[in-house]
Amino acid sequence: MSSNFTIEALRASTVHSDTSLKAQDIMTCKVLTVSEHWSLAVLANFFARHHISGAPVLNQQGKICGVVTMSDIIRHEYIPALALFSDLLEKKAHITDDICFTHLLGNDIGEETHLVNEIMNTDVIVVRSNTSLEEIINTMIDDNVHRLFVCEGDEILGVITTMDVLKAVRQQLRSLKTSVA
């Protein structure tokens, strides 16, 4: 594994059951990745086009080197955007999505463009395909993250988002209700 894998979620579960859901059962196999050298404008466009809010970042060798989210873009651009919005509000200007995104994504004429590798998080939290749902939930809560990557070695097999976990919990609750009834 790459040295950027500073956090690996391989915690021992207190309850093991052959019928419990595992990472491989709930993960999304199609993982969209981004390049560490993309501009923030390209990144945000990619997120919007694919209706996602985060992705693993790959280096030039195709290895995972970080993770980046819409929150990272917002955090990085928050102060300049806030200044723009304050200025527009003082002028009572009509604020449109185009104005907001143009500034937020660094598309103002003459403005320097920032790259993904400047804002990404290099602490990538991964689980293995046989990680239990309980371990996945504990990892997401303990590490305060909304997505985990399912990896074996350097290969990304899938991604598990908060929504995937909620769907799995709903499935288990429905099964429990059916077995009790």
Side-chain angles (χ1 to χ4, degrees):
M1 270 239 179
S2 166
S3 62
N4 285 326
F5 282 79
T6 57
I7 302 173
E8 187 168 358
L10 301 173
R11 300 181 172 116
S13 177
T14 56
V15 179
H16 285 287
S17 168
D18 293 332
T19 60
S20 69
L21 291 174
K22 305 287 184 202
Q24 63 195 9
D25 302 321
I26 66 171
M27 70 183 186
T28 300
C29 294
K30 182 182 176 190
V31 181
L32 299 173
T33 61
V34 303
S35 167
E36 68 177 335
H37 297 295
W38 283 5
S39 71
L40 298 189
V42 169
L43 176 66
N45 187 346
F46 179 81
F47 284 168
R49 189 172 59 248
H50 293 286
H51 306 286
I52 61 174
S53 61
V57 181
L58 302 183
N59 62 20
Q60 289 180 336
Q61 293 75 36
K63 303 291 183 191
I64 190 169
C65 62
V67 61
V68 67
T69 67
M70 277 303 286
S71 295
D72 295 323
I73 296 172
I74 292 166
R75 257 191 307 278
H76 183 266
E77 295 295 329
Y78 176 73
I79 300 301
L82 187 59
L84 171 71
F85 298 146
S86 295
D87 186 47
L88 291 172
L89 288 172
E90 281 179 21
K91 295 176 183 174
K92 298 188 183 196
H94 179 68
I95 302 174
T96 66
D97 287 344
D98 289 342
I99 291 172
C100 297
F101 284 113
T102 297
H103 180 76
L104 183 64
L105 303 177
N107 289 334
D108 289 344
I109 296 173
E111 190 169 318
E112 209 174 296
T113 304
H114 295 281
L115 302 179
V116 168
N117 62 9
E118 296 174 50
I119 68 165
M120 70 182 188
N121 185 343
T122 58
D123 290 331
V124 180
I125 302 173
V126 301
V127 294
R128 292 199 176 141
S129 58
N130 64 349
T131 303
S132 71
L133 178 58
E134 180 183 3
E135 292 174 85
I136 291 165
I137 292 169
N138 288 336
T139 299
M140 290 178 123
I141 291 169
D142 294 346
D143 294 317
N144 195 29
V145 294
H146 295 279
R147 70 190 45 75
L148 300 172
F149 299 103
V150 182
C151 296
E152 297 296 335
D154 284 338
E155 184 181 1
I156 303 171
L157 303 177
V159 60
I160 299 172
T161 65
T162 308
M163 190 58 67
D164 296 321
V165 171
L166 289 172
K167 288 175 185 176
V169 169
R170 178 177 65 184
Q171 176 186 340
Q172 287 194 329
L173 289 173
R174 284 181 178 164
S175 295
L176 182 61
K177 282 182 184 178
T178 306
S179 67
V180 171

